[in-house]
Amino acid sequence: MNLADAVAARRSIRAFEDRAVPRDSVLRAIALAVQAPAPHHSAPWRFSLLDDDGAKDAFSRAMGAAWRADLTADGHPPEKVEAILTRSHRMLTGTPLLTVCSADMSRAHDYPDERRRLAEWSLFAHATGAALQVYMVALAEEGIASCWISAPVFCRDVVKEHLGLPGSVEPQALVLVGYPSPEYSPRARGPVDPHNFVVGS
């Protein structure tokens, strides 16, 4: 599979077969992911892997409790909150492997002003995104599906405490990983015109 094929093979898939993902395949994907660009040669990436049923259940419930508080505060009726959380819990616990991707901010430069601190944080978030893209494309090359979920950024403290992450390590994303369900049928992608994404001259 060449690069173009691997990029095209990466789809956001949330339904998986009930079979384990080989750890060797995951480690190969991580080995490629950590070759992504990063500020200051920092290599800030940290990957937490959860494939035990009990660990996935506990992790989903911890994030779910934080989400419940947000949804309730937003004024959603209890029945809608329960439906959302039940669907999310079923998806997370039904995924063979959960990967929490974080950035180690201890490797960031320290600035006295908020403007540069925000800029530095953004650099590390960008680096995490670059690694995530490589991670998911590398998995796709091996026939393994994935889906990027942004939930951890909304409850960083909960995720950090639950996973026992050091204070400097900030969760950025959750990636669902597994072999795609036979029932999954990808939606056709339309043609891509690069001119649509170019601004100015």
Side-chain angles (χ1 to χ4, degrees):
M1 185 181 291
N2 61 30
L3 176 61
D5 291 337
V7 170
R10 190 223 51 84
R11 305 299 296 261
S12 295
I13 299 174
R14 299 173 176 83
F16 306 98
E17 291 184 352
D18 183 18
R19 63 171 167 136
V21 176
R23 184 58 60 99
D24 286 350
S25 296
V26 175
L27 294 179
R28 281 194 295 272
I30 291 174
L32 291 172
V34 299
Q35 296 180 56
H40 326 309
H41 304 288
S42 54
W45 309 285
R46 300 293 180 265
F47 294 82
S48 302
L49 306 177
L50 294 83
D51 56 8
D52 174 78
D53 288 344
K56 290 184 292 184
D57 178 79
F59 179 69
S60 174
R61 292 184 186 281
M63 284 206 306
W67 197 6
R68 181 190 303 277
D70 285 343
L71 291 170
T72 301
D74 289 343
H76 293 291
E79 61 274 14
K80 181 177 180 180
V81 173
E82 291 304 320
I84 291 172
L85 294 178
T86 297
R87 183 169 61 251
S88 173
H89 184 70
R90 187 181 302 119
M91 179 177 66
L92 296 189
T93 55
T95 299
L97 171 68
L98 303 178
T99 305
V100 180
C101 304
S102 306
D104 185 352
M105 299 304 296
S106 71
R107 295 170 173 256
H109 287 179
D110 187 24
Y111 294 103
D113 56 283
E114 184 62 23
R115 174 179 59 85
R116 286 184 291 174
R117 283 197 296 269
L118 177 59
E120 187 75 357
W121 185 92
S122 298
L123 294 179
F124 279 69
H126 298 165
T128 303
L132 283 170
Q133 173 78 348
V134 176
Y135 179 58
M136 292 186 289
V137 169
L139 290 172
E141 186 182 24
E142 299 208 27
I144 300 170
S146 63
C147 183
W148 180 340
I149 303 293
S150 59
V153 300
F154 292 96
C155 54
R156 283 195 178 94
D157 290 341
V158 170
V159 174
K160 287 169 67 170
E161 180 179 359
H162 186 81
L163 297 178
L165 300 175
S168 63
V169 176
E170 292 197 2
Q172 295 280 349
L174 170 65
V175 179
L176 314 182
V177 179
Y179 290 98
S181 167
E183 299 175 1
Y184 169 74
S185 178
R187 183 171 54 186
R189 283 178 169 145
V192 176
D193 182 353
H195 295 92
N196 293 334
F197 302 95
V198 177
V199 295
S201 60

